[in-house]
Amino acid sequence: MKRDSGDGRDGGAGTFRALLLGVPYYEDTSIDDLPFVEEDLRELMAALEPVGYQVEVHDVRRTNRDAIESAIESFIDRASRKQTLILYLSGHGVHGNGQDYLVPSSAFTRSGKFFDKCVLIDFRDYIDASHAGDVVILVDACREGVHLQEKATMSAAGWSRRQVQRVKGRRVFYVYACGPGERARFTRGSDAFSVFSRALSIAMAEAHGPATLAEFRAAVQETVDALTTEHELPSQRVHVLSENDPAECILVARPPATAPTNVIDRDDSESVVTVVPDDAADKLPALAGILETLDSDLGRGTRLALDAIDRFTRPEGLLALADPDFLTDSGRGLRPWLADLDAAVRAGRRNDAAIGIAAWRRHAAQASKAAERLINANAAPRDQYKQLRGRLRIYTAKAGRLSLLEDAALSILHAKARATLDDVPTDLRLAERCILDYAHALSIRAEPDAPQEPGMSAAPTAPPGRGGAVG
């Protein structure tokens, strides 16, 4: 785990930094514990570091209001010039007096000054005094389980009904896991997780995933919808509040994701060519080269789809086969169309040839874009498989560093994860679950016997009579 250690503003090397801060345990018995938050932080850290983030995970044993506010202030203050910052907040949250608050571990619901004991989710003063560039605050905190006394000014359902103000010289974005009146959902059981956090980790880990905040919001929402449906949870809408355009905020330095499509559109209206060149014959060889490349790309997309269907169980992605008649159809196929253009040139019909070449290029360009989307989508299962193998290698290496490779219980879980990956066809969902089980067990097994990684602590023992998350 990476942690800044200096007191200066350089923030360490790198363009991207993240502070992950979660509150899994509460002193007030009127507030349900959220023990899954710790594993969410680990999983999110594992997703952020490979895409270039320096990650700090705040100690879950130090989650009173002062400790949280000090950690946030220090994190923002140490930003280097133009550095992109992510601040992730997880736990319980409440809304009151037009503001949103993160509930710290020391909050007391019966207090007449409850809000004074909470962390106001408004960090403009810290940001304004820093050298940071874009700052993205991810709020995963409006959860059921805060049993509030009846107070007219306090609500756990008015989340994100607030105004945000522009910070001079900065682009600041508040991203809520849910919209007003909704809850940030989480699953139940021994392998519980936050829906928003899991969706965010998946989006970060995608090889061809989103780059801008706008693309992340769309990708995360798609996964949130899938997870809430799978686990039969109420829906939640990812909500962005800002005075700035999220499409201008780069969270990961990679090409923007493109949405897959099933259809290559060949029926767009054609614009009129008003200038007729006399070099149509010279352009035909270039068109032949475009056709050869397109033929190769469509074939590759089809092979990737067939390979995914054969190699994986229930593979996700487009998995569409290219229309076999698209290039060769006698009506509008690009290959016979090119032959007609060649005949027009040979016959001296320059006007017809020039108009036809312009139209052919437009349709070929559309087909090339569709072929690229086809390739990217049909390669998704294979890319996911590679990512899972990489994650297992990382956890195995960690087990080696902790001298736990020979641990009997861990060896069984590791063997199961490895066997699931090696099985053909591979069930990617099952493989991911087995890897997470191994990672979770490794974390638990390591804590009593091995030094903690900086910033990550063992889960404290719950006070007598306290249970896990209930509601």
Side-chain angles (χ1 to χ4, degrees):
M1 183 174 301
K2 299 178 181 178
R3 172 179 284 274
D4 292 335
S5 57
D7 295 327
R9 287 178 170 269
D10 60 357
T15 305
F16 302 96
R17 289 172 59 234
L19 172 62
L20 310 183
L21 195 154
V23 186
Y25 300 97
Y26 294 85
E27 298 173 16
D28 188 340
T29 57
S30 295
I31 307 176
D32 294 340
D33 289 335
L34 303 168
F36 62 86
V37 166
E38 285 195 275
E39 185 59 34
D40 285 345
L41 298 180
R42 293 186 180 95
E43 185 177 88
L44 190 53
M45 178 186 67
L48 283 164
E49 288 187 329
V51 295
Y53 275 85
Q54 286 181 296
V55 182
E56 302 175 41
V57 180
H58 183 70
D59 191 339
V60 296
R61 295 170 299 183
R62 300 181 60 252
T63 53
N64 59 60
R65 188 196 64 180
D66 290 344
I68 290 174
E69 290 184 343
S70 294
I72 293 172
E73 180 179 11
S74 175
F75 170 72
I76 295 174
D77 180 68
R78 287 180 282 113
S80 61
R81 192 169 302 278
K82 301 297 183 181
Q83 196 168 56
T84 297
L85 303 181
I86 283 181
L87 171 59
Y88 172 80
L89 305 174
S90 181
H92 283 296
V94 293
H95 178 87
N97 301 326
Q99 294 288 349
D100 297 327
Y101 297 85
L102 178 71
V103 181
S105 59
S106 56
F108 184 55
T109 57
R110 293 177 178 81
S111 172
K113 297 183 177 181
F114 178 75
F115 291 131
D116 293 341
K117 301 179 184 300
C118 294
V119 178
L120 175 63
I121 302 177
D122 187 341
F123 310 115
R124 77 185 90 168
D125 291 341
Y126 301 154
I127 297 169
D128 190 49
S130 76
H131 292 300
D134 290 346
V135 180
V136 180
I137 297 99
L138 304 169
V139 186
D140 189 14
C142 182
R143 307 192 189 283
E144 55 186 315
V146 181
H147 308 290
L148 299 170
Q149 303 298 309
E150 292 298 327
K151 297 181 181 180
T153 60
M154 189 186 303
S155 170
W159 200 240
S160 73
R161 297 183 187 277
R162 54 169 291 199
Q163 298 294 321
V164 294
Q165 297 181 6
R166 184 184 296 271
V167 177
K168 184 178 179 180
R170 305 285 189 275
R171 292 188 299 194
V172 181
F173 304 87
Y174 290 84
V175 183
Y176 288 82
C178 56
E182 298 177 336
R183 304 289 191 184
R185 303 294 174 179
F186 56 94
T187 63
R188 310 286 178 165
S190 59
D191 58 348
F193 60 85
S194 160
V195 169
F196 177 73
S197 178
R198 174 63 55 83
L200 182 61
S201 295
I202 291 173
M204 282 288 176
E206 288 290 339
H208 301 288
T212 68
L213 177 56
E215 292 166 350
F216 265 97
R217 195 215 66 80
V220 169
Q221 183 64 64
E222 182 178 351
T223 305
V224 164
D225 291 342
L227 290 172
T228 53
T229 298
E230 178 184 352
H231 294 276
E232 299 182 343
L233 297 171
S235 62
Q236 62 188 73
R237 304 299 299 175
V238 179
H239 196 60
V240 179
L241 291 178
S242 181
E243 292 290 329
N244 305 106
D245 184 358
E248 297 177 354
C249 174
I250 303 296
L251 286 187
V252 178
R254 58 186 171 199
T258 53
T261 181
N262 292 329
V263 180
I264 297 175
D265 188 355
R266 294 180 286 169
D267 298 322
D268 288 350
S269 58
E270 299 173 5
S271 59
V272 177
V273 176
T274 56
V275 179
V276 179
D278 58 3
D279 59 349
D282 297 333
K283 294 182 177 180
L284 292 180
L287 301 190
I290 293 172
L291 183 62
E292 182 179 352
T293 299
L294 180 57
D295 192 12
S296 175
D297 288 346
L298 289 174
R300 181 185 174 200
T302 299
R303 289 191 299 274
L304 285 169
L306 293 173
D307 177 70
I309 292 171
D310 183 61
R311 181 68 180 80
F312 303 106
T313 301
R314 299 170 296 160
E316 296 179 356
L318 180 60
L319 301 180
L321 307 184
D323 181 357
D325 297 327
F326 183 77
L327 296 180
T328 59
D329 181 74
S330 58
R332 292 291 302 274
L334 289 176
R335 194 179 301 282
W337 190 359
L338 184 57
D340 290 343
L341 292 175
D342 182 66
V345 168
R346 293 178 183 277
R349 292 185 282 115
R350 291 194 304 113
N351 286 6
D352 290 343
I355 293 172
I357 287 173
W360 192 97
R361 282 185 176 276
R362 285 195 302 275
H363 287 287
Q366 292 170 2
S368 295
K369 291 180 180 178
E372 180 180 1
R373 291 192 291 267
L374 185 82
I375 289 170
N376 290 340
N378 289 352
R382 182 191 61 182
D383 293 339
Q384 183 185 0
Y385 175 77
K386 292 180 179 178
Q387 291 167 12
L388 290 175
R389 293 194 72 92
R391 287 170 62 181
L392 183 59
R393 283 196 296 270
I394 290 172
Y395 291 130
T396 304
K398 179 179 179 180
R401 293 195 302 271
L402 298 173
S403 301
L404 292 173
L405 284 177
E406 303 302 322
D407 182 271
L410 289 176
S411 295
I412 292 173
L413 291 174
H414 181 275
K416 183 178 179 181
R418 183 63 180 269
T420 305
L421 282 173
D422 291 342
D423 192 25
V424 179
T426 304
D427 188 330
L428 295 174
R429 295 178 182 85
L430 177 60
E432 182 176 26
R433 183 69 267 159
C434 290
I435 291 171
L436 288 175
D437 288 344
Y438 176 63
H440 180 67
L442 174 62
S443 176
I444 293 175
R445 181 65 182 84
E447 285 168 353
D449 302 320
Q452 291 299 305
E453 294 177 300
M456 181 62 75
S457 69
T461 302
R466 299 294 302 276
V470 289

